[in-house]
Coordinates of all heavy atoms in Angstrom, one line a residue:
M15 N 0.9 -1.2 -0.1 CA 0.0 0.0 0.0 C 1.0 1.3 0.0 O 2.0 1.3 0.6 CB -0.9 -0.1 1.3 CG -2.0 -1.1 1.4 SD -3.4 -0.4 0.8 CE -4.4 -1.9 0.5
Q16 N 0.3 2.3 -0.5 CA 1.0 3.5 -0.6 C 1.1 4.2 0.7 O 0.2 4.1 1.5 CB 0.5 4.5 -1.8 CG -0.9 5.0 -1.3 CD -1.6 5.7 -2.5 OE1 -1.2 5.5 -3.7 NE2 -2.5 6.7 -2.1
E17 N 2.1 5.2 0.8 CA 2.2 6.0 2.1 C 1.1 7.0 1.9 O 0.7 7.5 0.9 CB 3.5 6.7 2.0 CG 3.8 7.7 3.1 CD 4.1 7.0 4.4 OE1 4.4 5.8 4.5 OE2 4.1 7.6 5.5
K18 N 0.4 7.2 3.1 CA -0.7 8.3 3.2 C 0.0 9.6 2.8 O 0.9 10.1 3.5 CB -1.2 8.2 4.4 CG -2.1 6.9 4.6 CD -2.8 6.8 5.9 CE -3.5 5.5 6.0 NZ -4.1 5.3 7.3
K19 N -0.5 10.3 1.9 CA 0.1 11.6 1.3 C 0.1 12.7 2.3 O 1.0 13.6 2.2 CB -0.5 12.0 0.1 CG -1.8 12.6 0.1 CD -2.3 13.2 -1.2 CE -3.6 13.9 -1.0 NZ -4.0 14.7 -2.3
N20 N -0.8 12.8 3.2 CA -1.0 13.8 4.2 C -0.2 13.6 5.5 O -0.3 14.5 6.4 CB -2.4 14.1 4.5 CG -3.0 14.7 3.3 OD1 -2.5 15.5 2.5 ND2 -4.3 14.3 3.1
K21 N 0.5 12.5 5.6 CA 1.1 12.2 6.9 C 2.0 13.4 7.5 O 2.1 13.7 8.6 CB 2.0 10.8 6.8 CG 2.5 10.4 8.2 CD 3.1 9.1 8.0 CE 3.7 8.6 9.3 NZ 4.2 7.2 9.1
A22 N 3.0 13.8 6.7 CA 3.9 14.8 7.0 C 3.2 16.2 7.5 O 3.5 16.7 8.4 CB 4.9 15.1 6.0
A23 N 2.2 16.5 6.5 CA 1.5 17.7 6.9 C 0.7 17.5 8.2 O 0.7 18.4 9.1 CB 0.4 18.0 5.8
I24 N 0.1 16.4 8.5 CA -0.6 16.1 9.7 C 0.4 16.3 10.9 O 0.0 16.9 11.9 CB -1.3 14.7 9.6 CG1 -2.5 14.8 8.6 CG2 -1.8 14.3 11.1 CD1 -3.1 13.5 8.3
Q25 N 1.6 15.7 10.8 CA 2.5 15.6 12.0 C 2.9 17.1 12.2 O 3.1 17.5 13.3 CB 3.6 14.7 11.6 CG 3.3 13.3 11.7 CD 4.4 12.4 11.3 OE1 5.1 12.6 10.3 NE2 4.7 11.4 12.0
K26 N 3.1 17.9 11.1 CA 3.5 19.2 11.3 C 2.5 20.1 12.0 O 2.8 20.8 13.0 CB 3.9 19.8 9.9 CG 4.5 21.3 9.9 CD 4.7 21.7 8.5 CE 5.3 23.1 8.6 NZ 5.7 23.6 7.2
R27 N 1.3 19.9 11.5 CA 0.1 20.6 12.2 C -0.1 20.2 13.7 O -0.3 20.9 14.5 CB -1.1 20.4 11.4 CG -1.2 21.1 10.0 CD -2.4 20.7 9.3 NE -2.4 21.3 8.0 CZ -3.1 22.4 7.7 NH1 -3.9 23.0 8.5 NH2 -3.2 22.8 6.4
L28 N 0.1 19.0 14.0 CA -0.1 18.5 15.3 C 1.1 18.9 16.3 O 0.7 19.3 17.4 CB -0.1 17.0 15.3 CG -1.4 16.3 14.8 CD1 -1.3 14.7 14.7 CD2 -2.5 16.6 15.7
A29 N 2.2 19.1 15.8 CA 3.3 19.8 16.5 C 3.0 21.1 16.8 O 3.3 21.6 18.0 CB 4.6 19.5 15.7
R30 N 2.5 21.9 15.8 CA 2.1 23.3 16.0 C 1.0 23.3 17.1 O 1.0 24.2 17.9 CB 1.7 23.8 14.7 CG 1.6 25.3 14.7 CD 1.4 26.0 13.3 NE 2.1 25.3 12.3 CZ 1.5 25.0 11.1 NH1 0.2 25.2 10.9 NH2 2.2 24.4 10.2
L31 N 0.1 22.4 17.0 CA -1.1 22.3 18.0 C -0.5 22.1 19.3 O -1.0 22.7 20.3 CB -2.1 21.3 17.5 CG -3.2 21.7 16.5 CD1 -3.8 20.6 16.0 CD2 -4.2 22.6 17.3
E32 N 0.4 21.3 19.4 CA 0.9 21.0 20.8 C 1.6 22.3 21.3 O 1.4 22.5 22.5 CB 2.1 20.0 20.6 CG 2.7 19.4 21.9 CD 3.7 18.4 21.6 OE1 4.0 18.1 20.5 OE2 4.2 17.8 22.7
G33 N 2.3 23.0 20.5 CA 2.7 24.3 21.0 C 1.7 25.3 21.4 O 1.8 26.1 22.4
Q34 N 0.7 25.3 20.6 CA -0.5 26.3 21.0 C -1.2 25.9 22.3 O -1.4 26.7 23.1 CB -1.5 26.1 19.8 CG -1.1 26.9 18.5 CD -2.2 26.9 17.5 OE1 -2.4 25.9 17.0 NE2 -2.9 28.0 17.3
I35 N -1.3 24.6 22.5 CA -1.8 24.1 23.8 C -1.1 24.5 25.0 O -1.4 25.0 26.0 CB -2.2 22.6 23.7 CG1 -3.1 22.2 22.8 CG2 -2.5 22.0 25.1 CD1 -4.5 22.7 22.9
R36 N 0.3 24.2 24.8 CA 1.2 24.7 25.9 C 1.1 26.1 26.1 O 1.1 26.7 27.3 CB 2.6 24.3 25.5 CG 3.0 22.8 25.8 CD 4.6 22.5 25.8 NE 5.1 23.0 24.6 CZ 5.4 22.3 23.5 NH1 4.9 21.0 23.4 NH2 5.9 22.8 22.3
G37 N 0.9 27.0 25.1 CA 0.8 28.4 25.2 C -0.4 28.8 25.9 O -0.6 29.7 26.8
I38 N -1.5 28.2 25.6 CA -2.8 28.3 26.3 C -2.7 28.0 27.7 O -3.1 28.8 28.7 CB -3.9 27.6 25.7 CG1 -4.3 28.1 24.3 CG2 -5.2 27.7 26.6 CD1 -5.2 27.2 23.5
S39 N -2.1 26.9 28.1 CA -1.7 26.5 29.4 C -1.0 27.7 30.2 O -1.3 27.9 31.3 CB -1.0 25.3 29.5 OG -0.8 24.7 30.8
R40 N 0.0 28.2 29.5 CA 0.8 29.3 30.2 C -0.1 30.5 30.4 O 0.0 31.2 31.5 CB 2.0 29.7 29.3 CG 3.2 28.9 29.4 CD 4.6 29.3 28.9 NE 4.3 29.7 27.4 CZ 4.4 28.8 26.4 NH1 4.7 27.5 26.7 NH2 4.2 29.2 25.2
M41 N -0.9 30.7 29.4 CA -1.8 31.9 29.6 C -2.7 31.9 30.8 O -2.9 32.8 31.6 CB -2.7 32.1 28.3 CG -1.9 32.5 27.1 SD -2.8 32.5 25.6 CE -3.7 34.0 25.9
V42 N -3.2 30.6 30.9 CA -4.1 30.3 32.2 C -3.3 30.4 33.3 O -3.8 31.2 34.5 CB -4.8 29.0 32.1 CG1 -5.5 28.5 33.3 CG2 -5.9 28.9 30.9
E43 N -2.1 29.9 33.4 CA -1.3 30.0 34.6 C -0.9 31.5 34.9 O -0.9 31.9 36.2 CB 0.1 29.2 34.3 CG 1.1 29.3 35.5 CD 0.6 28.7 36.7 OE1 -0.2 27.7 36.6 OE2 1.1 29.0 37.8
E44 N -0.8 32.3 33.9 CA -0.4 33.7 34.1 C -1.6 34.6 34.3 O -1.5 35.8 34.4 CB 0.4 34.2 32.9 CG 1.7 33.6 32.6 CD 2.4 33.8 31.3 OE1 1.7 34.5 30.5 OE2 3.4 33.4 31.1
D45 N -2.8 34.0 34.4 CA -4.1 34.7 34.6 C -4.3 35.7 33.6 O -4.7 36.8 33.8 CB -4.2 35.3 36.0 CG -4.2 34.3 37.1 OD1 -4.9 33.4 37.0 OD2 -3.6 34.5 38.2
R46 N -4.1 35.4 32.3 CA -4.3 36.3 31.2 C -5.7 36.5 31.0 O -6.6 35.7 31.5 CB -3.8 35.6 29.9 CG -2.2 35.5 30.0 CD -1.4 36.7 29.6 NE -1.7 37.2 28.2 CZ -1.0 36.8 27.2 NH1 0.0 36.0 27.4 NH2 -1.3 37.4 26.0
Y47 N -6.1 37.6 30.3 CA -7.4 38.0 30.0 C -8.2 36.9 29.4 O -7.8 36.2 28.4 CB -7.4 39.2 29.2 CG -8.8 39.9 28.9 CD1 -9.7 40.2 29.8 CD2 -9.1 40.1 27.6 CE1 -10.9 40.8 29.6 CE2 -10.4 40.7 27.3 CZ -11.2 41.0 28.4 OH -12.5 41.6 28.1
C48 N -9.4 36.6 29.9 CA -10.3 35.5 29.4 C -10.4 35.5 27.9 O -10.4 34.4 27.2 CB -11.7 35.3 30.2 SG -11.4 35.1 31.9
V49 N -10.7 36.7 27.4 CA -11.1 36.6 26.0 C -9.7 36.3 25.2 O -9.9 35.6 24.1 CB -11.6 38.1 25.6 CG1 -11.7 38.2 24.1 CG2 -13.0 38.3 26.3
D50 N -8.6 36.7 25.6 CA -7.5 36.3 25.0 C -7.3 34.8 24.8 O -6.9 34.1 23.9 CB -6.3 37.0 25.5 CG -6.2 38.5 25.3 OD1 -7.0 39.0 24.4 OD2 -5.5 39.1 26.1
V51 N -7.5 34.2 26.0 CA -7.5 32.7 26.2 C -8.5 32.0 25.2 O -8.1 31.1 24.5 CB -7.6 32.2 27.6 CG1 -7.6 30.7 27.7 CG2 -6.6 32.9 28.4
L52 N -9.7 32.5 25.2 CA -10.7 32.0 24.5 C -10.4 32.2 22.9 O -10.6 31.2 22.1 CB -12.1 32.7 24.8 CG -12.7 32.2 26.1 CD1 -13.9 33.1 26.5 CD2 -13.1 30.7 26.0
M53 N -9.8 33.2 22.5 CA -9.4 33.4 21.2 C -8.3 32.4 20.8 O -8.4 31.8 19.6 CB -8.7 34.8 20.8 CG -9.8 35.9 21.0 SD -11.0 35.9 19.7 CE -9.9 36.6 18.4
Q54 N -7.5 31.9 21.6 CA -6.6 30.9 21.4 C -7.2 29.6 21.3 O -6.7 28.7 20.5 CB -5.4 31.0 22.4 CG -4.5 32.2 22.3 CD -3.9 32.4 21.0 OE1 -3.3 31.5 20.4 NE2 -4.0 33.5 20.2
T55 N -8.1 29.3 22.2 CA -8.8 27.9 22.1 C -9.6 27.8 20.8 O -9.7 26.8 20.3 CB -9.7 27.8 23.4 OG1 -10.7 28.7 23.5 CG2 -8.9 27.7 24.6
A56 N -10.1 29.1 20.4 CA -10.8 28.9 19.0 C -9.8 28.7 17.9 O -10.2 27.8 17.0 CB -11.6 30.3 18.9
A57 N -8.8 29.2 17.9 CA -7.8 28.9 16.9 C -7.3 27.4 17.0 O -7.1 26.8 16.0 CB -6.5 29.8 17.2
V58 N -7.1 26.9 18.2 CA -6.8 25.5 18.3 C -8.0 24.7 17.6 O -7.6 23.6 16.9 CB -6.6 25.1 19.7 CG1 -6.5 23.6 20.0 CG2 -5.2 25.7 20.2
R59 N -9.1 24.9 18.0 CA -10.2 24.1 17.4 C -10.2 24.2 15.9 O -10.5 23.2 15.2 CB -11.6 24.7 17.8 CG -12.1 24.1 19.2 CD -13.6 24.4 19.5 NE -14.0 25.7 19.2 CZ -13.9 26.7 20.1 NH1 -13.3 26.5 21.2 NH2 -14.4 27.8 19.7
S60 N -10.0 25.3 15.4 CA -9.9 25.5 13.9 C -8.8 24.7 13.3 O -9.0 24.0 12.3 CB -9.8 26.9 13.5 OG -9.6 27.2 12.2
A61 N -7.6 24.7 14.0 CA -6.5 24.0 13.4 C -6.7 22.5 13.5 O -6.3 21.6 12.7 CB -5.3 24.4 14.3
L62 N -7.4 22.2 14.7 CA -7.7 20.7 14.8 C -8.6 20.2 13.7 O -8.4 19.0 13.1 CB -8.2 20.4 16.1 CG -8.4 19.0 16.6 CD1 -7.0 18.2 16.5 CD2 -8.8 18.9 18.1
K63 N -9.6 21.0 13.3 CA -10.5 20.7 12.3 C -9.7 20.5 10.9 O -10.1 19.6 10.1 CB -11.7 21.6 12.1 CG -12.7 21.6 13.1 CD -13.8 22.6 12.8 CE -14.8 22.5 14.1 NZ -15.9 21.6 13.8
A64 N -8.7 21.2 10.7 CA -7.9 21.1 9.5 C -7.2 19.8 9.5 O -7.1 19.1 8.5 CB -6.9 22.3 9.3
V65 N -6.7 19.3 10.7 CA -6.2 18.1 10.8 C -7.2 16.9 10.5 O -6.8 16.0 9.7 CB -5.5 17.8 12.2 CG1 -5.1 16.4 12.4 CG2 -4.3 18.7 12.4
E66 N -8.4 17.1 11.0 CA -9.4 16.2 10.7 C -9.7 16.1 9.3 O -9.8 15.0 8.7 CB -10.6 16.5 11.5 CG -10.5 16.2 13.0 CD -11.8 16.8 13.7 OE1 -12.6 17.5 13.1 OE2 -11.9 16.5 15.0
R67 N -9.6 17.1 8.6 CA -9.8 17.1 7.0 C -8.8 16.3 6.4 O -9.1 15.5 5.5 CB -10.0 18.6 6.5 CG -11.4 19.3 6.9 CD -11.7 20.5 6.1 NE -10.6 21.5 6.5 CZ -10.8 22.4 7.5 NH1 -11.8 22.3 8.2 NH2 -9.8 23.2 7.8
L68 N -7.6 16.6 6.8 CA -6.4 15.9 6.1 C -6.6 14.2 6.4 O -6.3 13.5 5.5 CB -5.2 16.3 6.7 CG -4.9 17.8 6.2 CD1 -3.6 18.3 6.9 CD2 -4.6 17.8 4.6
L69 N -7.0 13.9 7.6 CA -7.1 12.5 8.0 C -8.3 12.0 7.2 O -8.1 10.7 6.7 CB -7.3 12.4 9.6 CG -6.1 12.6 10.4 CD1 -6.5 12.8 11.8 CD2 -5.2 11.5 10.2
I70 N -9.4 12.6 7.1 CA -10.4 12.1 6.3 C -10.1 11.9 4.9 O -10.5 10.9 4.2 CB -11.7 13.0 6.5 CG1 -12.3 12.8 7.8 CG2 -12.8 12.6 5.4 CD1 -13.3 13.9 8.2
E71 N -9.3 12.9 4.4 CA -8.8 12.7 2.9 C -8.1 11.6 2.8 O -8.1 10.8 1.8 CB -8.1 14.0 2.5 CG -7.6 14.0 1.2 CD -6.8 15.3 0.8 OE1 -7.2 16.4 1.3 OE2 -5.8 15.1 0.2
D72 N -7.0 11.3 3.7 CA -6.3 10.2 3.6 C -7.0 8.8 3.7 O -6.8 7.8 3.0 CB -5.2 10.1 4.7 CG -3.8 10.8 4.3 OD1 -3.7 11.2 3.0 OD2 -3.0 11.1 5.0
H73 N -8.0 8.8 4.6 CA -8.8 7.7 4.7 C -9.7 7.4 3.4 O -9.6 6.2 3.1 CB -9.8 7.8 5.9 CG -10.7 6.6 6.2 ND1 -10.2 5.5 6.6 CD2 -12.0 6.5 6.0 CE1 -11.2 4.6 6.7 NE2 -12.3 5.1 6.3
A74 N -10.2 8.4 2.9 CA -10.9 8.2 1.6 C -9.8 7.7 0.5 O -10.2 6.7 -0.3 CB -11.5 9.5 1.2
N75 N -8.7 8.3 0.4 CA -7.7 8.1 -0.7 C -7.0 6.7 -0.5 O -6.3 6.1 -1.4 CB -6.7 9.2 -0.8 CG -7.4 10.4 -1.5 OD1 -8.5 10.2 -2.2 ND2 -6.9 11.6 -1.2
H76 N -6.9 6.4 0.7 CA -6.0 5.1 1.0 C -6.9 4.0 1.5 O -7.0 3.0 0.7 CB -5.1 5.6 2.1 CG -4.1 4.4 2.5 ND1 -3.0 4.1 1.7 CD2 -4.0 3.6 3.5 CE1 -2.3 3.1 2.3 NE2 -2.9 2.8 3.4
C77 N -7.5 4.1 2.5 CA -8.3 2.9 3.2 C -9.6 2.6 2.2 O -9.7 1.4 1.9 CB -8.7 3.2 4.5 SG -7.3 3.7 5.6
M78 N -10.3 3.7 1.8 CA -11.5 3.4 1.1 C -11.1 2.9 -0.4 O -11.7 1.9 -0.8 CB -12.4 4.6 1.0 CG -13.0 4.8 2.4 SD -14.3 6.2 2.2 CE -15.5 5.3 1.3
E79 N -10.1 3.4 -0.9 CA -9.8 3.1 -2.2 C -9.2 1.5 -2.2 O -9.5 0.7 -3.1 CB -8.6 3.8 -2.8 CG -8.1 3.6 -4.1 CD -7.1 4.5 -4.7 OE1 -6.9 5.6 -4.3 OE2 -6.4 4.1 -5.7
A80 N -8.5 1.1 -1.1 CA -8.0 -0.2 -1.0 C -9.3 -1.2 -0.9 O -9.2 -2.2 -1.6 CB -7.1 -0.4 0.1
A81 N -10.2 -0.7 -0.2 CA -11.5 -1.6 0.0 C -12.2 -1.7 -1.4 O -12.6 -2.8 -1.8 CB -12.5 -1.1 0.9
I82 N -12.3 -0.6 -2.2 CA -12.9 -0.6 -3.4 C -12.1 -1.6 -4.4 O -12.8 -2.4 -5.1 CB -13.0 0.7 -4.1 CG1 -14.0 1.6 -3.3 CG2 -13.4 0.8 -5.5 CD1 -14.0 3.1 -3.4
L83 N -10.7 -1.4 -4.5 CA -10.0 -2.2 -5.4 C -10.0 -3.7 -5.0 O -9.7 -4.6 -5.8 CB -8.6 -1.7 -5.5 CG -8.4 -0.3 -6.0 CD1 -7.0 0.3 -5.8 CD2 -8.8 -0.3 -7.5
S84 N -10.3 -4.0 -3.8 CA -10.2 -5.4 -3.2 C -11.4 -6.2 -3.9 O -11.3 -7.4 -4.0 CB -10.2 -5.4 -1.7 OG -11.6 -5.1 -1.3
G85 N -12.5 -5.5 -4.2 CA -13.7 -6.2 -4.6 C -14.5 -6.8 -3.5 O -15.5 -7.3 -3.8
D86 N -14.1 -6.8 -2.3 CA -14.8 -7.4 -1.2 C -15.9 -6.4 -0.7 O -15.6 -5.4 -0.2 CB -13.7 -7.5 0.1 CG -14.3 -8.2 1.2 OD1 -15.6 -8.1 1.4 OD2 -13.5 -8.7 2.1
Q87 N -17.1 -6.9 -1.1 CA -18.2 -5.9 -0.8 C -18.4 -5.7 0.8 O -18.9 -4.6 1.1 CB -19.4 -6.5 -1.4 CG -19.5 -6.5 -2.8 CD -20.8 -7.0 -3.5 OE1 -21.7 -7.5 -2.8 NE2 -20.9 -6.8 -4.8
D88 N -18.2 -6.6 1.6 CA -18.3 -6.5 3.0 C -17.3 -5.4 3.5 O -17.6 -4.6 4.2 CB -18.0 -7.9 3.8 CG -19.2 -8.8 3.7 OD1 -20.3 -8.2 3.4 OD2 -18.8 -10.0 3.7
E89 N -16.0 -5.5 3.0 CA -15.0 -4.5 3.3 C -15.4 -3.1 2.8 O -15.3 -2.2 3.5 CB -13.6 -4.9 2.8 CG -12.5 -4.0 3.2 CD -12.2 -4.0 4.6 OE1 -12.7 -5.0 5.3 OE2 -11.4 -3.1 5.1
Q90 N -16.0 -3.1 1.5 CA -16.5 -1.8 1.0 C -17.6 -1.2 1.9 O -17.5 0.1 2.2 CB -16.9 -2.0 -0.4 CG -15.9 -2.4 -1.3 CD -16.4 -2.9 -2.7 OE1 -17.6 -3.1 -2.9 NE2 -15.5 -3.2 -3.6
R91 N -18.5 -2.0 2.3 CA -19.6 -1.5 3.3 C -19.0 -1.0 4.6 O -19.5 0.1 5.0 CB -20.6 -2.6 3.4 CG -21.5 -2.8 2.2 CD -22.6 -3.9 2.6 NE -23.3 -4.3 1.3 CZ -23.2 -5.3 0.6 NH1 -22.1 -6.3 1.0 NH2 -23.7 -5.7 -0.5
T92 N -18.1 -1.8 5.1 CA -17.4 -1.3 6.4 C -16.8 0.0 6.2 O -17.0 0.9 7.0 CB -16.6 -2.4 6.9 OG1 -17.2 -3.6 7.0 CG2 -15.8 -2.0 8.1
K93 N -16.0 0.1 5.2 CA -15.2 1.4 4.9 C -16.2 2.5 4.8 O -16.0 3.7 5.2 CB -14.2 1.4 3.9 CG -13.2 0.3 4.2 CD -12.3 0.7 5.4 CE -11.3 -0.3 5.6 NZ -10.8 -0.2 7.0
F94 N -17.3 2.2 4.0 CA -18.4 3.4 3.6 C -19.0 3.8 5.1 O -19.1 4.9 5.3 CB -19.4 2.8 2.7 CG -20.5 3.8 2.5 CD1 -20.3 4.9 1.6 CD2 -21.8 3.6 3.1 CE1 -21.3 5.9 1.5 CE2 -22.7 4.6 2.9 CZ -22.5 5.7 2.0
R95 N -19.4 2.8 5.8 CA -20.0 3.2 7.2 C -19.0 3.9 8.1 O -19.4 4.9 8.7 CB -20.5 1.9 7.9 CG -21.7 1.3 7.3 CD -22.2 0.1 8.2 NE -22.9 -0.7 7.3 CZ -22.2 -2.0 7.1 NH1 -21.1 -2.4 7.4 NH2 -23.0 -2.8 6.2
E96 N -17.7 3.6 8.0 CA -16.8 4.3 8.8 C -16.7 5.8 8.3 O -16.6 6.6 9.2 CB -15.4 3.6 8.6 CG -15.2 2.4 9.4 CD -13.8 1.7 9.0 OE1 -13.1 2.2 8.1 OE2 -13.5 0.7 9.8
M97 N -16.7 5.9 7.1 CA -16.6 7.3 6.4 C -17.8 8.1 6.9 O -17.6 9.3 7.2 CB -16.4 7.3 4.9 CG -16.3 8.7 4.3 SD -15.0 9.7 5.0 CE -13.5 9.1 4.0
V98 N -19.0 7.5 6.7 CA -20.2 8.3 7.2 C -20.0 8.6 8.7 O -20.4 9.9 9.0 CB -21.5 7.5 6.8 CG1 -22.7 8.0 7.5 CG2 -21.7 7.2 5.4
A99 N -19.6 7.8 9.5 CA -19.5 8.1 11.0 C -18.4 9.2 11.1 O -18.7 10.0 12.0 CB -19.2 6.8 11.6
L100 N -17.4 9.1 10.4 CA -16.3 10.1 10.6 C -16.9 11.5 10.1 O -16.6 12.4 10.9 CB -15.1 9.8 9.7 CG -14.2 8.7 10.2 CD1 -13.2 8.4 9.0 CD2 -13.4 9.3 11.4
L101 N -17.6 11.6 9.2 CA -18.2 12.9 8.5 C -19.2 13.3 9.6 O -19.2 14.6 9.7 CB -18.8 12.7 7.2 CG -17.7 12.4 6.1 CD1 -18.4 12.1 4.8 CD2 -16.7 13.5 5.9
E102 N -19.9 12.5 10.2 CA -21.0 12.9 11.2 C -20.2 13.5 12.4 O -20.6 14.5 12.9 CB -21.8 11.8 11.6 CG -22.8 11.5 10.4 CD -23.6 10.3 10.9 OE1 -23.5 9.6 12.0 OE2 -24.6 10.0 10.1
K103 N -19.2 12.9 12.8 CA -18.4 13.3 14.0 C -17.6 14.7 13.7 O -17.6 15.5 14.4 CB -17.4 12.3 14.6 CG -18.1 11.2 15.3 CD -17.1 10.2 15.8 CE -18.0 9.0 16.3 NZ -17.7 8.9 17.7
A104 N -17.2 14.8 12.5 CA -16.4 16.0 12.0 C -17.3 17.1 12.1 O -16.9 18.3 12.1 CB -15.6 15.6 10.7
R105 N -18.5 16.9 11.7 CA -19.5 18.1 11.6 C -19.7 18.7 13.0 O -20.0 19.9 13.0 CB -20.9 17.6 11.1 CG -21.1 17.8 9.7 CD -22.4 17.7 9.2 NE -23.0 16.5 9.9 CZ -24.2 16.1 9.8 NH1 -25.1 16.8 9.0 NH2 -24.8 15.0 10.4
D106 N -19.7 17.9 14.1 CA -20.1 18.4 15.4 C -19.0 19.4 15.9 O -18.1 19.6 15.6 CB -20.1 17.2 16.4 CG -21.2 16.2 16.0 OD1 -22.2 16.7 15.3 OD2 -21.1 15.0 16.5

């Protein structure tokens, strides 16, 4: 199977998110203004949604494609159901 094309981008974004979370923790520790902290948490949510989109894209292009090419209808149905569940959770 091929390497998932978004892996490096996902790892880079997650490392950036990790830094943002540490920054928010410092802001709380320093009793920074609540609105400033909330602005940062909104930025983290947005960045995490971008990671989710990349993961969903990889799932569609890698895992679902493999199921389609396999010709195994049970596997195809399973991957389809997984994708629907992922999209529903990503919407929330």
Side-chain angles (χ1 to χ4, degrees):
M15 293 263 165
Q16 67 186 26
E17 178 78 13
K18 294 181 181 177
K19 74 174 190 171
N20 292 324
K21 184 175 180 177
I24 290 167
Q25 289 175 316
K26 184 176 179 181
R27 286 175 186 258
L28 288 172
R30 195 174 317 130
L31 273 163
E32 185 179 5
Q34 285 180 288
I35 296 293
R36 281 194 306 269
I38 292 169
S39 181
R40 275 192 307 275
M41 291 174 78
V42 171
E43 180 65 30
E44 296 168 358
D45 293 321
R46 298 278 297 271
Y47 184 53
C48 295
V49 172
D50 292 341
V51 176
L52 289 167
M53 292 291 283
Q54 290 304 310
T55 61
V58 165
R59 274 195 316 276
S60 177
L62 193 53
K63 284 185 184 271
V65 169
E66 289 173 347
R67 284 190 296 272
L68 291 172
L69 287 166
I70 289 170
E71 180 182 319
D72 270 354
H73 181 66
N75 292 333
H76 182 75
C77 303
M78 288 186 72
E79 184 176 340
I82 291 166
L83 294 175
S84 76
D86 182 340
Q87 291 183 351
D88 289 334
E89 183 69 11
Q90 292 167 355
R91 285 184 188 99
T92 298
K93 296 301 178 192
F94 178 76
R95 283 189 216 104
E96 288 175 350
M97 180 58 82
V98 169
L100 283 169
L101 292 174
E102 286 175 353
K103 287 182 186 247
R105 261 191 321 171
D106 296 339

